[in-house]
């Protein structure tokens, strides 16, 4: 078995609805560990760079606006395979 890591972002609507604990519990029940976590408020510039792969899509600006509308929880999850 190989331990792998992935990035997870709890989006502004879930943070605003106090769902962080439920989401982390779901990951942990599934065998994943939170190895790093940081609450941030993404800037427009950060969101534009992170979602640059979607730049030509019609929803790009809406996505950037949504992801910068409130704080997000950025996490590194770790688990087998």
């Amino acid at each position: 078995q190989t331990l792998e890591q992935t990035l997870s972002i709890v989006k502004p609507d879930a943070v605003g609805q106090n769902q962080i604990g439920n989401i982390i519990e779901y990951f942990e029940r599934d065998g994943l560990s939170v190895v790093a976590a940081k609450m941030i408020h993404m800037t427009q510039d950060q969101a534009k760079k992170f979602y640059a792969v979607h730049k030509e899509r019609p929803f790009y600006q809406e996505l950037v606006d949504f992801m910068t509308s409130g704080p997000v929880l950025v996490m590194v999850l770790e688990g087998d395979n």
Side-chain angles (χ1 to χ4, degrees):
Q1 290 180 337
T2 304
L3 271 185
E4 296 184 57
Q5 293 184 338
T6 191
L7 174 73
S8 173
I9 301 177
V10 179
K11 296 179 174 61
D13 55 346
V15 171
Q17 294 165 13
N18 295 317
Q19 293 298 313
I20 292 171
N22 293 333
I23 292 168
I24 290 174
E25 183 182 0
Y26 174 82
F27 288 142
E28 290 177 339
R29 253 198 326 258
D30 231 29
L32 297 171
S33 298
V34 178
V35 296
K38 185 175 185 178
M39 183 86 75
I40 65 167
H41 197 134
M42 290 178 85
T43 65
Q44 285 271 325
D45 191 49
Q46 287 172 325
K48 285 180 177 181
K49 287 178 182 170
F50 187 77
Y51 292 106
V53 66
H54 300 300
K55 192 171 185 172
E56 302 306 318
R57 300 260 171 86
F59 59 82
Y60 173 71
Q61 190 58 52
E62 187 178 330
L63 175 62
V64 169
D65 290 344
F66 171 65
M67 291 303 292
T68 59
S69 67
V72 297
L73 181 66
V74 180
M75 295 183 287
V76 176
L77 303 176
E78 187 174 81
D80 290 332
N81 298 314

